[in-house]
Amino acid sequence: MKTGLVLEGGGMRGFFTLGVLDAFMDSGIMFDYIVGVSAGAAHALTYLSGQNGRGFRITLKYVADPRYLSMRNLIKEKSAFGMDFIFNVLPHFSEEPFDYEAFKASNAEYRVGATNIETGKTRYFNKNELGELFLPVQASSSLPLISSPVEINGKKYMDGGISDPIPIKRALLDGCDKLVIVLTRPKNYVKKPEGFKAAYSKIYKKYPAFVDTINRRHFVYKSEQQLAEKLEKEGRAVIIAPESDKVNIGRFEKNQNKLRALYEHGYDCTMAKIGEINAFFK
C-alpha cells in the first residue's frame, strides 16, 4: 500500500500546513509520497529534511523582513516574495541552514507542480530535478501579477495552484492507495472567479492558454474539492482543513500572532486525527 500526502498552497495560509507537518514529525509519520503546489510544495521541503519546527521558526522570524515579502522586492526582483532570500540566503546562511543531505536521503517520493504559461498545463518535477535553488518550487510559488515567470530548461512556469490547486489526481496517477489531503481553506469554502481579470488578461496576453487556465481555476478547485470529499467517504482519504473562524489572515499576512495561532490550529487539527491516519499505515 502506498500512502500519499497532498498539500494545497495558499501563501501565508501555509502556516496551517506548517502546523500539520510538525504534528506528523512529532508523531513519527512519514508518507511514501508527497505532492504539493506553491506554499505547500515549499513547506514540504523541511518536512522531507526532518527538521522539525524549522519552517515555522524561520518563516515567522523573517516574514516581517522586507527581503522576505515587500513591494521593494517587486520593484527590484519583480517578485513580492524575495525568491533569492527565501531559497538561497535562508537555506544556506540563516541560523538554521537547510539540511540538503537529509532531504536527498529521504525515501519519500516528492512532486512539485508548476504551471507552464505557454500551455496552461501543470508540469510535475521530482526531487532529482530541483537543484540547490529549488527552481521548480520557486516557479510553483510565483504568483501571477506579483511575480515573474521562472524559466526552467527554456520553458516558463508560474504558480502550480493555478492549474492544479489540490493535486489529488496526480497522487492517484502516481499509484497512491490512500491519501491525507491538507487544505488551507475550510472544507466548505467556495472559490470565486479570479479578480483582476482585466490586469492578468493584458499582462499575459501572449499566453492565452495560461489566461484561460486562470479563468477556469474556480471550476477546477470545486471539482477537486468534490473528489477529496468522495475519497473521504470511501475511506480512501483523510482531509485536514482549518475551521472557518480560524482562517482570518490574508495571503500576504505579516501579523505574527495571527500566523502563530494558525500554525497551532494546524497542529491541533492533525493531532486530533492521528489515530485515523495511523490506521492507514496499518
Side-chain angles (χ1 to χ4, degrees):
M1 184 180 68
K2 186 175 179 179
T3 58
L5 177 63
V6 177
L7 302 173
E8 182 185 6
M12 289 306 163
R13 293 194 306 274
F15 265 78
F16 180 83
T17 304
L18 287 170
V20 173
L21 297 178
D22 282 353
F24 288 150
M25 282 191 270
D26 282 345
S27 303
I29 292 176
M30 177 56 71
F31 293 83
D32 302 313
Y33 173 98
I34 300 167
V35 61
V37 294
S38 196
H43 294 321
L45 298 176
T46 45
Y47 173 63
L48 286 162
S49 70
Q51 293 174 275
N52 195 332
R54 178 188 178 274
F56 169 70
R57 291 188 296 271
I58 289 288
T59 309
L60 191 69
K61 178 175 181 178
Y62 290 100
V63 68
D65 190 313
R67 293 174 296 174
Y68 190 99
L69 172 62
S70 67
M71 290 303 295
R72 185 193 73 173
N73 288 338
L74 187 59
I75 296 169
K76 291 181 63 178
E77 302 182 30
K78 297 183 179 180
S79 173
F81 286 95
M83 293 299 183
D84 182 69
F85 183 69
I86 294 171
F87 290 99
N88 182 24
V89 176
L90 291 180
H92 289 99
F93 307 110
S94 70
E95 63 277 17
E96 291 189 74
F98 182 74
D99 192 338
Y100 287 93
E101 293 306 314
F103 173 76
K104 293 174 183 177
S106 169
N107 292 323
E109 293 180 53
Y110 171 74
R111 301 284 186 276
V112 51
T115 304
N116 182 316
I117 67 171
E118 294 178 351
T119 66
K121 298 185 182 300
T122 316
R123 159 81 152 87
Y124 284 93
F125 298 84
N126 61 39
K127 284 172 68 175
N128 296 329
E129 298 175 287
L130 297 184
E132 281 215 350
L133 294 179
F134 299 122
L135 283 183
V137 185
Q138 290 191 41
S140 188
S141 304
S142 296
L143 309 179
L145 301 182
I146 65 164
S147 301
S148 296
V150 175
E151 187 169 319
I152 303 172
N153 297 328
K155 299 185 183 299
K156 296 178 179 179
Y157 299 91
M158 293 195 79
D159 182 9
I162 293 292
S163 54
D164 199 4
I166 314 171
I168 300 167
K169 290 181 180 178
R170 183 71 217 187
L172 296 176
L173 285 171
D174 286 341
C176 291
D177 302 290
K178 292 192 174 184
L179 301 174
V180 172
I181 302 166
V182 180
L183 306 178
T184 56
R185 295 284 198 181
K187 290 175 69 175
N188 62 353
Y189 171 71
V190 178
K191 189 164 187 62
K192 298 177 181 179
E194 293 298 311
F196 305 103
K197 182 176 181 178
Y200 68 70
S201 297
K202 181 178 180 180
I203 291 173
Y204 304 111
K205 64 182 179 181
K206 292 183 178 179
Y207 307 103
F210 185 55
V211 172
D212 184 57
T213 298
I214 298 174
N215 290 337
R216 293 185 292 103
R217 186 183 189 186
H218 60 295
F219 294 120
V220 175
Y221 193 90
K222 178 64 176 178
S223 69
E224 293 180 341
Q225 282 178 307
Q226 293 173 336
L227 177 57
E229 292 168 2
K230 176 178 180 291
L231 293 173
E232 187 177 48
K233 288 178 181 178
E234 294 172 352
R236 297 172 60 195
V238 173
I239 300 174
I240 302 176
E243 297 173 10
S244 298
D245 61 342
K246 301 293 185 179
V247 189
N248 60 344
I249 70 167
R251 183 185 286 269
F252 309 115
E253 184 66 62
K254 291 187 176 185
N255 185 304
Q256 293 189 347
N257 291 330
K258 289 183 177 182
L259 295 171
R260 184 184 297 274
L262 186 58
Y263 166 84
E264 292 172 351
H265 181 51
Y267 188 96
D268 293 341
C269 286
T270 306
M271 295 305 289
K273 295 197 173 190
I274 284 297
E276 190 177 354
I277 294 166
N278 275 327
F280 277 9
F281 291 87
K282 293 179 182 179

